[in-house]
Amino acid sequence: MKRLFLFFIFTIATVLTGCEPLKVLDPRGPQAERQADDIMLSIWIMLFIVIAVFAILVFMLIKYRASKLDKDYVPPHIEGSHLVETLCVGIPVLIIIFLSIVSVRSNYIVEATPKGYEDTKPLVVYASSSNWKWHFSYPEEGIETVNYLYIPTNRALEFKLYSHGPITSFWIPQLGGQKYAMSDMVTTLHLAADTPGEFMGRNANFSGEGFAENTFNVTAMSQAKFDEWVKEVKETADPLTEDKFNELLKPGHLGQLTFTGTHLEFLPPPTPENGGHDHGGHKSMDDSDSELHETEHHHTGEEN
């Protein structure tokens, strides 16, 4: 038994040494940091409850064990204890109320522009999914990428999410929580990256056999490097045509691709004008729609 116990401990220690830290508890942005704090708060509360319950259990087992009682002991008839009942019901109710208040406050915070970035112009990115790829359209920059995302640090990010197929879920764990992308509406997700680095992004909602590889890479860099990348893309990348985009929408997996122009020019997102409806961030959505129309007009002017 001793050898088996030591083998068990050694196995657990060996396995845990290969584990990476949880991405959701390694935040690199204000939204993710808020959510990580809420997760840790919930964990500490639950840990306190578990320890308290087991401590009471051990106390009761020792104090009222059968060996301490007389053989002819007959327990008295007890109707109940109002104090015990109040504690058993009241404490869970107070915990639920507290966590509800924290959750509601956090929800309003993460649904708004990240704190500290309210007075800056956000980078608007249309993130759309298809089986089983992610398409990132930069309407102001006039470029589009597939399965990878470049973002500047210390700048608000405003993602417009929708899908060209089944419902998916856009999630970058180190920058913020997930949000659904649907085919008939545009949802808005506000994020920001405080530090440069490479992050993992993925579809967090099962969407078919290719779901497991429905991932994308995220690279956060300074604004200057981001501008250099945009300039390089415009000079070297091929234009995105409607035929090419329709080919990209076919089910399957692809590597990372880069194009000049966006599919928003010939296949606009599902806004109310295009048979869809908005959900969240209505004011900023209107602003981004205006910017999108201006971009389309600009490209049309160049073609003419």
Side-chain angles (χ1 to χ4, degrees):
M1 291 296 295
K2 182 178 180 181
R3 291 181 179 179
L4 181 62
F5 177 75
L6 292 176
F7 175 77
F8 180 72
I9 296 297
F10 176 77
T11 302
I12 293 179
T14 304
V15 171
L16 291 179
T17 54
C19 294
E20 296 182 0
L22 291 175
K23 299 298 184 182
V24 293
L25 298 181
D26 184 25
R28 299 301 176 90
Q31 311 294 59
E33 185 174 359
R34 177 73 184 195
Q35 293 172 332
D37 291 341
D38 290 349
I39 292 173
M40 291 306 304
L41 176 63
S42 301
I43 290 176
W44 286 117
I45 291 176
M46 289 185 287
L47 183 61
F48 172 78
I49 294 172
V50 170
I51 293 176
V53 170
F54 275 95
I56 294 173
L57 174 62
V58 173
F59 172 78
M60 298 297 290
L61 291 176
I62 295 176
K63 183 175 178 60
Y64 298 102
R65 65 186 185 274
S67 60
K68 294 188 64 176
L69 302 176
D70 297 330
K71 294 182 179 180
D72 57 349
Y73 172 76
V74 178
H77 178 73
I78 301 176
E79 293 292 340
S81 172
H82 294 295
L83 176 61
V84 173
E85 293 175 0
T86 301
L87 292 176
C88 290
V89 176
I91 293 178
V93 170
L94 292 176
I95 293 174
I96 292 174
I97 292 175
F98 173 74
L99 290 178
S100 298
I101 294 174
V102 172
S103 299
V104 171
R105 290 185 59 189
S106 296
N107 185 67
Y108 277 101
I109 291 174
V110 300
E111 284 292 327
T113 302
K115 186 177 181 180
Y117 298 93
E118 296 86 353
D119 298 330
T120 60
K121 183 180 180 181
L123 172 67
V124 179
V125 180
Y126 283 76
S128 58
S129 62
S130 63
N131 285 337
W132 289 273
K133 301 165 285 289
W134 283 97
H135 311 264
F136 299 103
S137 306
Y138 301 76
E140 295 181 22
E141 288 72 18
I143 60 178
E144 182 161 326
T145 63
V146 178
N147 291 334
Y148 81 96
L149 176 67
Y150 276 18
I151 56 174
T153 56
N154 300 315
R155 181 179 177 183
L157 307 172
E158 190 172 303
F159 290 96
K160 303 298 182 181
L161 312 175
Y162 63 100
S163 173
H164 296 283
I167 295 176
T168 56
S169 177
F170 180 86
W171 188 30
I172 308 175
Q174 290 179 276
L175 297 185
Q178 64 87 26
K179 202 164 194 177
Y180 291 108
M182 292 161 276
S183 60
D184 64 342
M185 67 164 57
V186 173
T187 54
T188 302
L189 178 64
H190 298 277
L191 298 177
D194 291 336
T195 59
E198 295 185 359
F199 315 121
M200 181 272 294
R202 66 167 300 110
N203 168 23
N205 186 64
F206 181 74
S207 59
E209 62 180 354
F211 155 77
E213 298 178 38
N214 195 186
T215 61
F216 58 93
N217 297 319
V218 182
T219 302
M221 61 191 72
S222 65
Q223 183 66 52
K225 291 185 177 180
F226 178 78
D227 294 337
E228 290 179 4
W229 170 72
V230 172
K231 181 180 179 181
E232 181 182 355
V233 169
K234 289 184 176 181
E235 293 175 350
T236 60
D238 295 330
L240 179 62
T241 63
E242 187 170 359
D243 291 338
K244 180 61 177 179
F245 185 71
N246 290 332
E247 182 181 341
L248 296 177
L249 292 182
K250 296 178 181 179
H253 294 101
L254 293 174
Q256 297 182 355
L257 303 175
T258 312
F259 301 95
T260 57
T262 71
H263 74 267
L264 305 176
E265 301 166 18
F266 47 80
L267 186 62
T271 55
E273 296 79 6
N274 303 315
H277 61 282
D278 296 339
H279 180 74
H282 296 287
K283 181 178 180 180
S284 55
M285 185 68 204
D286 293 339
D287 295 340
S288 62
D289 284 343
S290 298
E291 294 169 356
L292 176 59
H293 293 319
E294 291 176 1
T295 303
E296 292 176 350
H297 178 73
H298 175 69
H299 283 283
T300 303
E302 289 181 347
E303 293 174 359
N304 292 338

